[in-house]
């Protein structure tokens, strides 16, 4: 099988290059993202392998179909960046449903601890031998209320972590998992009662801007918010207004509504034209990271293995257990 691998970074090759050889695949690594302008690079390949800030819209899928590309191999769990309906019956879409939920949940808790206890600021201060504690006071998480939105694999890992911190945990999910030891409440109640809100639902038409002007207004004063899921779950304008109004104790964003083309790239030598992102960077209680919750050795290895297993199943007519329909 010939695979065109898009948005390649050096850390992708560490796993995909040797494993691809073991499977006998011919993988061509393109640094370019997969987008309208680059879709024709897929000509002559059996599959394209894409990441979270690549996309495949209906027109691109039609082009893939005409070029006889059989599959889109997603190196991610989320699939909001592919027009699944357009792909039906034309190009098979295969994803990695789970690689290391703990990687993302541990990172989410790490973000909360950082913005709450200002370890990012303390790190810089102590390097200058500025040992002052002024402005670095946080709050205990113990016995506070965590609100987990989405109780799938990552949400469940986050619930375990919050319980380990001695927190009271509330959850919201339209498909509650009754086997979990957690109290499900309506979304409005969660928003109003949680000291910490962590987003772990996928991006869909229903969840877009699930955090918006109205839900922010109902949150507790001093609430902590962390988003390691998808940027568009939060209405960024409303978030900025909430931050300006002093609503939030702290905000951790591993994802951002307009991250495509910015996250995963070194933009340090350029003028940042995204004004919302630039504004978010100015708040002392906001931590932004570049969509890296997944980024552990274990997760990367698992992503490579499942992605190539998916390709192997396709090539050999085996059941496509990870196809997205
Ligand atoms: P999952 O499919 O196991 O769980 C998602 C849960 O969200 C399900 O229980 C589902 O019922 C629930 N849900 C659906 N609609 C909802 C709604 N309207 N409100 C609340 N909950 C809703 O997915 P997962 O593996 O736990 O991943 C969750 C999300 O995390 C993914 O969709 C992806 O966007 C994101 N993610 C981010 C990173 C990262 O590096 N930051 C890595 C992996 C996944």
């Amino acid at each position: 099988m010939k695979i065109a691998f898009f948005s390649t970074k050096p850390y992708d090759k560490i796993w995909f290059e040797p494993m691809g050889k073991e499977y006998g695949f011919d993988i061509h690594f393109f640094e370019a993202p997969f987008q309208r302008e680059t879709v024709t690079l897929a000509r002559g390949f059996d599959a394209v392998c894409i990441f979270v800030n690549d996309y495949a819209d209906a027109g691109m899928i039609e082009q893939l179909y005409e070029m006889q590309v059989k599959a889109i191999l997603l190196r991610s769990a989320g699939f909001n960046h592919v027009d699944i309906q357009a792909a039906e019956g034309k190009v098979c879409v295969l994803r990695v449903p789970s690689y290391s939920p703990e990687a993302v949940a541990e990172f989410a808790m790490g973000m909360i601890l950082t913005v709450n206890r200002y370890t990012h600021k303390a790190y810089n201060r102590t390097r200058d031998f500025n040992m002052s504690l002024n402005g670095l006071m946080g709050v205990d998480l113990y016995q506070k209320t965590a609100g987990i939105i989405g109780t799938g694999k990552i949400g469940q890992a986050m619930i375990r972590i919050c319980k380990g911190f001695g927190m009271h945990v509330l959850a919201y999910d339209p498909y509650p998992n009754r086997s979990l030891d957690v109290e499900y409440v309506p979304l409005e109640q969660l928003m109003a009662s949680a000291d910490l809100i962590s987003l772990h639902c996928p991006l869909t038409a229903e969840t877009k801007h699930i955090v918006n002007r109205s839900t922010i207004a109902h949150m507790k004063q001093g609430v902590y918010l962390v988003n390691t899921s998808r940027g568009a779950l939060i209405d960024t304008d409303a978030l900025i207004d909430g931050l300006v109004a002093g609503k939030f104790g702290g905000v951790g964003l591993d994802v951002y509504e307009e991250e495509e083309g910015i996250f995963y790239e070194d933009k340090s030598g350029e003028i940042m034209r995204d004004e919302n992102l630039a504004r978010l960077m100015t708040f002392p209680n906001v931590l932004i990271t570049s969509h890296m919750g997944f980024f552990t050795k274990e997760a990367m290895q698992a992503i490579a293995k499942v992605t190539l297993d998916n390709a192997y199943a396709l090539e050999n007519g085996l059941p496509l257990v990870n196809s997205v329909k």
Side-chain angles (χ1 to χ4, degrees):
M1 178 178 265
K2 284 187 76 181
I3 301 173
F5 194 103
F6 286 85
S7 293
T8 308
K9 301 289 181 204
Y11 45 79
D12 290 312
K13 283 187 162 183
I14 295 171
W15 308 105
F16 276 95
E17 215 163 31
M19 268 193 215
K21 281 189 187 134
E22 277 172 34
Y23 280 83
F25 294 145
D26 177 3
I27 306 182
H28 188 95
F29 293 94
F30 293 103
E31 282 182 23
F34 189 66
Q35 54 192 29
R36 268 172 225 124
E37 294 74 18
T38 59
V39 63
T40 52
L41 289 172
R43 190 175 297 284
F45 288 91
D46 301 300
V48 293
C49 184
I50 70 174
F51 198 44
V52 288
N53 287 336
D54 299 313
Y55 61 86
D57 63 20
M60 292 162 71
I61 286 168
E62 197 56 44
Q63 280 177 279
L64 290 177
Y65 183 58
E66 280 162 18
M67 291 188 283
Q68 296 179 355
V69 176
K70 293 179 211 59
I72 299 174
L73 305 170
L74 303 178
R75 310 199 288 282
S76 61
F79 48 85
N80 53 286
H81 48 313
V82 175
D83 188 332
I84 300 299
Q85 242 179 326
E88 201 68 49
K90 291 189 171 155
V91 180
C92 181
V93 181
L94 298 156
R95 69 175 183 137
V96 184
S98 173
Y99 32 94
S100 173
E102 284 74 18
V104 183
E106 287 170 11
F107 191 82
M109 184 49 100
M111 293 194 95
I112 294 152
L113 293 175
T114 304
V115 288
N116 172 25
R117 304 302 299 273
Y118 296 102
T119 40
H120 55 312
K121 289 189 171 290
Y123 174 83
N124 287 325
R125 275 193 195 181
T126 54
R127 299 212 141 213
D128 267 348
F129 295 104
N130 173 356
M131 302 301 188
S132 157
L133 300 185
N134 291 335
L136 303 186
M137 189 160 48
V139 297
D140 283 9
L141 294 180
Y142 179 63
Q143 291 194 336
K144 295 284 185 337
T145 299
I148 308 299
I149 300 182
T151 56
K153 291 171 285 294
I154 298 171
Q156 287 174 38
M158 191 62 181
I159 290 169
R160 287 194 291 273
I161 291 172
C162 290
K163 290 203 168 207
F165 272 69
M167 300 185 82
H168 174 52
V169 184
L170 302 177
Y172 169 73
D173 194 309
Y175 309 99
N177 181 343
R178 296 294 171 201
S179 67
L180 296 180
D181 177 23
V182 72
E183 183 186 347
Y184 280 100
V185 293
L187 185 61
E188 303 70 39
Q189 189 181 333
L190 182 150
M191 295 280 192
S193 338
D195 301 293
L196 152 65
I197 296 173
S198 196
L199 305 178
H200 299 291
C201 54
L203 176 61
T204 62
E206 291 77 45
T207 61
K208 185 170 181 203
H209 290 181
I210 196 166
V211 172
N212 55 47
R213 222 163 275 284
S214 155
T215 49
I216 290 172
H218 286 94
M219 289 177 193
K220 274 184 164 177
Q221 179 62 30
V223 64
Y224 287 80
L225 172 69
V226 64
N227 186 8
T228 55
S229 213
R230 284 292 179 268
L233 296 179
I234 298 180
D235 175 345
T236 311
D237 290 326
L239 177 69
I240 290 173
D241 289 347
L243 281 159
V244 171
K247 180 86 186 190
F248 295 95
V251 174
L253 302 175
D254 185 44
V255 287
Y256 168 61
E257 227 177 338
E258 304 294 334
E259 70 179 53
E260 188 197 319
I262 302 175
F263 280 25
Y264 301 129
E265 305 303 327
D266 179 0
K267 299 277 177 192
S268 57
E270 295 176 29
I271 290 166
M272 178 43 62
R273 295 211 163 73
D274 186 317
E275 294 196 358
N276 274 348
L277 186 58
R279 183 71 178 103
L280 284 169
M281 295 290 182
T282 66
F283 296 100
N285 57 346
V286 174
L287 174 67
I288 298 177
T289 50
S290 188
H291 203 146
M292 59 180 288
F294 70 98
F295 202 42
T296 65
K297 285 181 183 168
E298 291 82 355
M300 289 298 286
Q301 195 165 11
I303 289 170
K305 167 98 176 58
V306 177
T307 304
L308 296 174
D309 277 349
N310 286 342
Y312 183 84
L314 184 75
E315 190 179 43
N316 293 285
L318 302 173
L320 300 175
V321 288
N322 294 325
S323 78
V324 189
K325 292 210 162 57

